[in-house]
């Protein structure tokens, strides 16, 4: 008897309220509830150059029919966006230190938006003052190497967009 391959509904590019391009209503508990309501099986939290909300999303999803991967949308020095995906938060947390060491600038909330760190109880833990929407000083090639050296998967983000994709920024894959 042959077995059917199970299909999974996934979204590996989800921003929380930590990303300046996201809305404040994308806090961990609301995000998990929305993903479950939409019938998603697997998500990756992939905030811009940051990872602080991942543990809270994972805690909100614990015991629920939703797998949460640890991710980050990293902007290379060439302004290419790449997703870094990991099974465990400790791996992305280690990469986070490298990203912060190479991420210049401070956020101007009036211009770029709020970057809220919100816990699993819907409480604001703080605000990230770094310019998360900015580019790191790390080349695309070096970012991919950093991801792979930690056992992660590197995925080109929004490859069909006219900005911040590998093709739009570098002209090739």
């Amino acid at each position: 008897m042959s077995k059917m391959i199970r299909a999974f509904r996934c979204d590996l590019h989800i921003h929380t309220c930590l990303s300046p391009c996201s809305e404040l209503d994308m806090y961990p508990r609301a995000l998990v509830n929305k993903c479950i309501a939409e019938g998603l099986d697997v998500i990756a939290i992939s905030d811009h150059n940051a990872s602080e909300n991942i543990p809270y999303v994972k805690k909100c999803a614990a015991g629920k029919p939703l797998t949460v991967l640890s991710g980050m949308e990293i902007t290379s020095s060439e302004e290419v966006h790449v997703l870094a995906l990991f099974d465990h938060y400790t791996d992305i947390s280690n990469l986070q230190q490298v990203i912060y060491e190479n991420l210049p600038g401070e956020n101007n909330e009036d211009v770029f938006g709020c970057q809220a760190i919100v816990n699993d109880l819907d409480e604001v833990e703080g605000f990230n003052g770094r310019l998360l929407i900015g580019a790191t000083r790390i080349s695309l090639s070096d970012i991919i190497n950093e991801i792979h050296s930690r056992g992660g998967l590197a995925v080109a983000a929004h490859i069909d967009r006219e900005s911040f994709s590998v093709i739009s920024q570098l002209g090739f894959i």
Side-chain angles (χ1 to χ4, degrees), residues 15-23 46-48 53 114-116 132:
H15 297 305
T16 71
C17 53
L18 180 55
S19 285
C21 65
S22 187
E23 299 297 323
S46 302
D47 284 314
H48 285 278
N53 280 346
C114 181
Q115 300 174 157
L132 298 180

Side-chain angles (χ1 to χ4, degrees), residues 3 6-8 11 14 21 36 40 51-52 85 96 102 111 124 143-144 146 151 164 171-172:
K3 292 187 175 187
R6 179 167 176 227
F8 292 93
D11 188 338
I14 293 184
C21 65
I36 292 170
L40 293 173
S51 63
E52 288 92 333
L85 302 175
Q96 180 69 85
N102 291 281
V111 176
V124 175
I143 288 171
I144 292 169
E146 290 284 349
F164 302 115
F172 63 91

Side-chain angles (χ1 to χ4, degrees), residues 20-165:
C21 65
S22 187
E23 299 297 323
L24 288 176
D25 63 358
M26 294 296 286
Y27 53 91
R29 189 185 332 213
L31 191 144
V32 166
N33 290 338
K34 175 73 169 164
C35 289
I36 292 170
E38 293 293 324
L40 293 173
D41 300 300
V42 180
I43 63 169
I45 300 304
S46 302
D47 284 314
H48 285 278
N49 295 312
S51 63
E52 288 92 333
N53 280 346
I54 294 170
Y56 302 123
V57 175
K58 285 181 174 263
K59 192 169 181 182
C60 288
K64 296 183 178 169
L66 182 67
T67 298
V68 180
L69 300 176
S70 298
M72 187 185 311
E73 183 176 12
I74 304 169
T75 306
S76 73
S77 59
E78 302 92 348
E79 296 190 354
V80 173
H81 290 189
V82 62
L83 300 179
L85 302 175
F86 295 88
D87 288 328
H88 305 289
Y89 180 70
T90 53
D91 298 319
I92 198 83
S93 181
N94 292 332
L95 179 59
Q96 180 69 85
Q97 297 309 312
V98 174
I99 299 305
Y100 280 168
E101 289 168 5
N102 291 281
L103 184 64
E106 293 182 21
N107 186 44
N108 179 338
E109 193 172 310
D110 294 332
V111 176
F112 300 111
C114 181
Q115 300 174 157
I117 302 166
V118 179
N119 69 24
D120 53 301
L121 301 174
D122 304 337
E123 301 166 333
V124 175
E125 294 280 326
F127 298 92
N128 191 315
R130 293 173 177 88
L131 186 60
L132 298 180
I133 200 74
T136 65
R137 292 185 288 254
I138 310 171
S139 71
L140 178 60
S141 176
D142 287 344
I143 288 171
I144 292 169
N145 289 336
E146 290 284 349
I147 295 167
H148 289 168
S149 73
R150 289 167 173 76
L153 175 66
V155 178
H158 40 69
I159 59 171
D160 58 345
R161 275 197 6 194
E162 293 181 12
S163 60
F164 302 115
S165 69

